Amino acid sequence: MSAPDIDTQVLVVGAGPVGLMLAGELALGGADVVVLERRIGPLTESRASTLHARTMELLDQRGLLEELGTPPAGGPGHFGGTRLDLTTDSPYSGQWKVPQVRTEELLEGWATRLGARVVKGHRLTDLRTAPHTVEATAEAEPGSGGAASTLRVRAAYVVGCDGESSTVRELAGFAFPGRDATRELLRADVADVQVPDRRFERHPGGLAISARGPGGVTRVMVHEYGAPVGREPGPPSFARVADTWRRVTGDDIGGGAPLWLNSFGDALRQASQYRRGRILLAGDAAHHQMPVGGQALNLGLQDAANLGWKLAAEVRGTAGPGLLDSYHAERHPAGRRVLDNIAAQALLLLGGSGTEQVRSLFGELLREPRVRAHLAGTIAGVDVRYAAEPGAHRLVGARVPYLRFGTGTDTTEGPGSSFAALRPGRGVLVDLGGRPTPVLAAVAPWRDGRVDVVAATPEPGGAAPEFTSALLRPDGHVAWADGTVPELEAALRRWFGPAARR
């Protein structure tokens, strides 16, 4: 191949929320990154619109919530159509409604301000791996204006964030085992119709959901028990949606004006590997699941948060052995757990009369506080805990608790909270002891731009801290807490590479 049109450290394929979140994380970590997107312009439909507590925490940890503003609360949650209180220990407990077009706008603005480049109107057609690079070829889409018809990109790494039909996954030969859909939910945004709001309303012939949104547009979703999964290319016709709606509910929406149509089924697949050499997968490219309650979007954004800082360290040359492989080791089990959760919900949601007894039992179980808290934590993403060494502090591997700080001594004012301390995208050693300690001395060789130190006191009257000193990873998970100095040094080497020479 001749000289490429673009030479970069990381090529991200797909400028949906996951690809843009990853691009921002990479750029924040000091990597040169290009995002390749097939679409020419922004989304014109709402798509995924639910953000859960853990995702809101990640946005706070990058300072993006002020720009986003306070989104409207998403109302009560559910598990397979049964109402579920999503209260957790997060400051963003519950669920939040943000149209996907706004999420993409927010993340693209952040990523590009940090230096990421987004190239739109090109479709990936070829990937070729070499010992130290990956060479990608993309063709311009019709209507892309003056864009070159063929674009060639050379990168050290390529990440597929290009959805459930991922071209990266196919070209790179990732195995994608699982099963195809056996049930599906038809969905449409319709103007000029008057139907009552329905929340998981079960009829003898199927399931109906409807809600009137801003601007008088009504979203309808319908599943007919026993109906075969549609095999037509593209979205379902409005006639099919309206006919199914009439059979299930008895109401006629055929006179409405369809603005957007799609369908989604209960297919369940997960890539056997999230990394093959210099090519990685994240989001729906790595796992395909029914988008129940917004879990698919949130799972993908959390993939990006886990991968971004690790891959940035790899291309900067500061990563320790095995750091990049820890992406698969941590996120594959997390994804598997969510997929199993979604499969159970799909059965409860789309199953016919044979599931009523199970649904009734679930309703009883959800009244038990421990059951409710367990399922709420899983859906909200706040219970993700990565593997820790035996005997480690109970917080190691878990997400960092939200703590407000009363004072900070490392800068003029210091960060206002444990979340704000993570905004530079580096590791953080938080010391709440209020005085120099051997712990602070131990971290000195990593204070070369890899790890910051925050010596602070908790805000009076706030939550009691669960640690005196803790090492936080850039993605907001605890790497070490209140252990020995040798254990701290081992954690620093594992997550942030070798100590700098003194």
Side-chain angles (χ1 to χ4, degrees), residues 289-311:
Q289 61 285 305
M290 189 174 179
V292 176
Q295 283 181 267
L297 169 64
N298 290 269
L299 179 64
L301 291 171
Q302 292 156 35
D303 288 344
N306 184 285
L307 175 59
W309 67 278
K310 296 174 180 177
L311 185 51

mmCIF file of all heavy atoms in Angstrom, residues 289-311:
data_model
loop_
_atom_site.group_PDB
_atom_site.id
_atom_site.type_symbol
_atom_site.label_atom_id
_atom_site.label_comp_id
_atom_site.label_asym_id
_atom_site.label_seq_id
_atom_site.Cartn_x
_atom_site.Cartn_y
_atom_site.Cartn_z
ATOM 1 N N GLN A 289 -27.496 -7.643 21.955
ATOM 2 C CA GLN A 289 -28.520 -7.988 22.904
ATOM 3 C C GLN A 289 -29.758 -7.141 22.662
ATOM 4 O O GLN A 289 -29.693 -6.106 21.995
ATOM 5 C CB GLN A 289 -28.030 -7.769 24.336
ATOM 6 C CG GLN A 289 -27.646 -6.320 24.652
ATOM 7 C CD GLN A 289 -26.327 -5.898 24.049
ATOM 8 O OE1 GLN A 289 -25.313 -6.530 24.274
ATOM 9 N NE2 GLN A 289 -26.338 -4.837 23.258
ATOM 10 N N MET A 290 -30.867 -7.561 23.177
ATOM 11 C CA MET A 290 -32.091 -6.779 23.088
ATOM 12 C C MET A 290 -31.914 -5.510 23.936
ATOM 13 O O MET A 290 -31.481 -5.591 25.086
ATOM 14 C CB MET A 290 -33.262 -7.616 23.610
ATOM 15 C CG MET A 290 -34.611 -7.007 23.375
ATOM 16 S SD MET A 290 -35.911 -8.183 23.869
ATOM 17 C CE MET A 290 -37.360 -7.196 23.528
ATOM 18 N N PRO A 291 -32.219 -4.334 23.395
ATOM 19 C CA PRO A 291 -31.985 -3.092 24.147
ATOM 20 C C PRO A 291 -33.070 -2.826 25.182
ATOM 21 O O PRO A 291 -33.826 -1.851 25.107
ATOM 22 C CB PRO A 291 -31.983 -2.031 23.043
ATOM 23 C CG PRO A 291 -32.881 -2.582 21.994
ATOM 24 C CD PRO A 291 -32.683 -4.079 22.019
ATOM 25 N N VAL A 292 -33.158 -3.707 26.178
ATOM 26 C CA VAL A 292 -34.187 -3.582 27.213
ATOM 27 C C VAL A 292 -33.777 -2.512 28.218
ATOM 28 O O VAL A 292 -32.720 -2.594 28.839
ATOM 29 C CB VAL A 292 -34.387 -4.927 27.944
ATOM 30 C CG1 VAL A 292 -35.381 -4.778 29.079
ATOM 31 C CG2 VAL A 292 -34.876 -5.982 26.969
ATOM 32 N N GLY A 293 -34.608 -1.488 28.377
ATOM 33 C CA GLY A 293 -34.360 -0.469 29.385
ATOM 34 C C GLY A 293 -33.084 0.311 29.203
ATOM 35 O O GLY A 293 -32.558 0.889 30.152
ATOM 36 N N GLY A 294 -32.545 0.352 27.996
ATOM 37 C CA GLY A 294 -31.339 1.135 27.743
ATOM 38 C C GLY A 294 -30.048 0.471 28.163
ATOM 39 O O GLY A 294 -28.980 1.086 28.107
ATOM 40 N N GLN A 295 -30.085 -0.790 28.568
ATOM 41 C CA GLN A 295 -28.862 -1.422 29.067
ATOM 42 C C GLN A 295 -27.784 -1.563 27.993
ATOM 43 O O GLN A 295 -26.593 -1.511 28.291
ATOM 44 C CB GLN A 295 -29.172 -2.782 29.673
ATOM 45 C CG GLN A 295 -29.785 -2.691 31.066
ATOM 46 C CD GLN A 295 -30.069 -4.048 31.674
ATOM 47 O OE1 GLN A 295 -31.168 -4.568 31.550
ATOM 48 N NE2 GLN A 295 -29.084 -4.614 32.326
ATOM 49 N N ALA A 296 -28.180 -1.751 26.737
ATOM 50 C CA ALA A 296 -27.185 -1.940 25.678
ATOM 51 C C ALA A 296 -26.312 -0.698 25.522
ATOM 52 O O ALA A 296 -25.078 -0.790 25.448
ATOM 53 C CB ALA A 296 -27.881 -2.277 24.370
ATOM 54 N N LEU A 297 -26.914 0.481 25.456
ATOM 55 C CA LEU A 297 -26.161 1.726 25.312
ATOM 56 C C LEU A 297 -25.225 1.923 26.495
ATOM 57 O O LEU A 297 -24.040 2.238 26.326
ATOM 58 C CB LEU A 297 -27.122 2.906 25.198
ATOM 59 C CG LEU A 297 -26.490 4.297 25.308
ATOM 60 C CD1 LEU A 297 -25.532 4.550 24.159
ATOM 61 C CD2 LEU A 297 -27.572 5.371 25.352
ATOM 62 N N ASN A 298 -25.732 1.752 27.696
ATOM 63 C CA ASN A 298 -24.928 1.996 28.888
ATOM 64 C C ASN A 298 -23.785 1.001 29.009
ATOM 65 O O ASN A 298 -22.672 1.357 29.403
ATOM 66 C CB ASN A 298 -25.818 1.967 30.122
ATOM 67 C CG ASN A 298 -26.754 3.173 30.194
ATOM 68 O OD1 ASN A 298 -26.414 4.189 30.779
ATOM 69 N ND2 ASN A 298 -27.921 3.064 29.581
ATOM 70 N N LEU A 299 -24.035 -0.248 28.647
ATOM 71 C CA LEU A 299 -22.981 -1.258 28.663
ATOM 72 C C LEU A 299 -21.850 -0.856 27.727
ATOM 73 O O LEU A 299 -20.665 -0.967 28.056
ATOM 74 C CB LEU A 299 -23.554 -2.613 28.266
ATOM 75 C CG LEU A 299 -22.589 -3.797 28.206
ATOM 76 C CD1 LEU A 299 -22.014 -4.102 29.583
ATOM 77 C CD2 LEU A 299 -23.305 -5.038 27.642
ATOM 78 N N GLY A 300 -22.195 -0.368 26.537
ATOM 79 C CA GLY A 300 -21.175 0.042 25.570
ATOM 80 C C GLY A 300 -20.376 1.243 26.033
ATOM 81 O O GLY A 300 -19.150 1.297 25.851
ATOM 82 N N LEU A 301 -21.034 2.233 26.634
ATOM 83 C CA LEU A 301 -20.315 3.406 27.132
ATOM 84 C C LEU A 301 -19.340 3.018 28.239
ATOM 85 O O LEU A 301 -18.242 3.569 28.347
ATOM 86 C CB LEU A 301 -21.312 4.450 27.627
ATOM 87 C CG LEU A 301 -22.154 5.125 26.538
ATOM 88 C CD1 LEU A 301 -23.257 5.975 27.163
ATOM 89 C CD2 LEU A 301 -21.297 5.970 25.607
ATOM 90 N N GLN A 302 -19.724 2.038 29.036
ATOM 91 C CA GLN A 302 -18.827 1.575 30.095
ATOM 92 C C GLN A 302 -17.667 0.755 29.525
ATOM 93 O O GLN A 302 -16.559 0.769 30.079
ATOM 94 C CB GLN A 302 -19.637 0.809 31.129
ATOM 95 C CG GLN A 302 -20.588 1.732 31.910
ATOM 96 C CD GLN A 302 -21.779 1.032 32.522
ATOM 97 O OE1 GLN A 302 -21.673 -0.117 32.965
ATOM 98 N NE2 GLN A 302 -22.929 1.702 32.549
ATOM 99 N N ASP A 303 -17.884 0.042 28.406
ATOM 100 C CA ASP A 303 -16.766 -0.574 27.680
ATOM 101 C C ASP A 303 -15.744 0.493 27.302
ATOM 102 O O ASP A 303 -14.532 0.326 27.484
ATOM 103 C CB ASP A 303 -17.247 -1.235 26.385
ATOM 104 C CG ASP A 303 -18.040 -2.515 26.578
ATOM 105 O OD1 ASP A 303 -17.989 -3.098 27.677
ATOM 106 O OD2 ASP A 303 -18.705 -2.931 25.606
ATOM 107 N N ALA A 304 -16.239 1.599 26.742
ATOM 108 C CA ALA A 304 -15.351 2.658 26.261
ATOM 109 C C ALA A 304 -14.547 3.270 27.395
ATOM 110 O O ALA A 304 -13.356 3.562 27.244
ATOM 111 C CB ALA A 304 -16.173 3.734 25.539
ATOM 112 N N ALA A 305 -15.197 3.467 28.537
ATOM 113 C CA ALA A 305 -14.497 4.045 29.686
ATOM 114 C C ALA A 305 -13.391 3.121 30.182
ATOM 115 O O ALA A 305 -12.325 3.577 30.608
ATOM 116 C CB ALA A 305 -15.489 4.340 30.807
ATOM 117 N N ASN A 306 -13.618 1.818 30.123
ATOM 118 C CA ASN A 306 -12.614 0.855 30.558
ATOM 119 C C ASN A 306 -11.442 0.783 29.587
ATOM 120 O O ASN A 306 -10.279 0.709 29.991
ATOM 121 C CB ASN A 306 -13.261 -0.525 30.711
ATOM 122 C CG ASN A 306 -12.320 -1.585 31.249
ATOM 123 O OD1 ASN A 306 -11.447 -2.080 30.545
ATOM 124 N ND2 ASN A 306 -12.497 -1.953 32.497
ATOM 125 N N LEU A 307 -11.742 0.828 28.306
ATOM 126 C CA LEU A 307 -10.713 0.637 27.290
ATOM 127 C C LEU A 307 -9.881 1.885 27.031
ATOM 128 O O LEU A 307 -8.671 1.788 26.803
ATOM 129 C CB LEU A 307 -11.366 0.187 25.978
ATOM 130 C CG LEU A 307 -10.453 0.058 24.750
ATOM 131 C CD1 LEU A 307 -9.323 -0.934 24.998
ATOM 132 C CD2 LEU A 307 -11.274 -0.343 23.522
ATOM 133 N N GLY A 308 -10.501 3.059 27.055
ATOM 134 C CA GLY A 308 -9.831 4.255 26.567
ATOM 135 C C GLY A 308 -8.509 4.554 27.234
ATOM 136 O O GLY A 308 -7.481 4.759 26.555
ATOM 137 N N TRP A 309 -8.472 4.589 28.562
ATOM 138 C CA TRP A 309 -7.229 4.956 29.243
ATOM 139 C C TRP A 309 -6.162 3.882 29.083
ATOM 140 O O TRP A 309 -4.960 4.192 29.031
ATOM 141 C CB TRP A 309 -7.495 5.256 30.715
ATOM 142 C CG TRP A 309 -7.933 4.081 31.552
ATOM 143 C CD1 TRP A 309 -9.191 3.578 31.644
ATOM 144 C CD2 TRP A 309 -7.113 3.296 32.421
ATOM 145 N NE1 TRP A 309 -9.210 2.505 32.524
ATOM 146 C CE2 TRP A 309 -7.954 2.324 33.018
ATOM 147 C CE3 TRP A 309 -5.768 3.310 32.763
ATOM 148 C CZ2 TRP A 309 -7.479 1.377 33.926
ATOM 149 C CZ3 TRP A 309 -5.282 2.370 33.678
ATOM 150 C CH2 TRP A 309 -6.142 1.421 34.245
ATOM 151 N N LYS A 310 -6.593 2.628 28.968
ATOM 152 C CA LYS A 310 -5.621 1.538 28.806
ATOM 153 C C LYS A 310 -4.966 1.590 27.427
ATOM 154 O O LYS A 310 -3.740 1.441 27.300
ATOM 155 C CB LYS A 310 -6.319 0.196 29.005
ATOM 156 C CG LYS A 310 -6.872 -0.007 30.401
ATOM 157 C CD LYS A 310 -7.692 -1.291 30.515
ATOM 158 C CE LYS A 310 -8.249 -1.480 31.918
ATOM 159 N NZ LYS A 310 -9.095 -2.680 32.031
ATOM 160 N N LEU A 311 -5.774 1.805 26.400
ATOM 161 C CA LEU A 311 -5.222 1.866 25.052
ATOM 162 C C LEU A 311 -4.371 3.119 24.863
ATOM 163 O O LEU A 311 -3.337 3.089 24.175
ATOM 164 C CB LEU A 311 -6.357 1.809 24.025
ATOM 165 C CG LEU A 311 -5.958 1.743 22.553
ATOM 166 C CD1 LEU A 311 -4.953 0.638 22.284
ATOM 167 C CD2 LEU A 311 -7.215 1.549 21.682
#
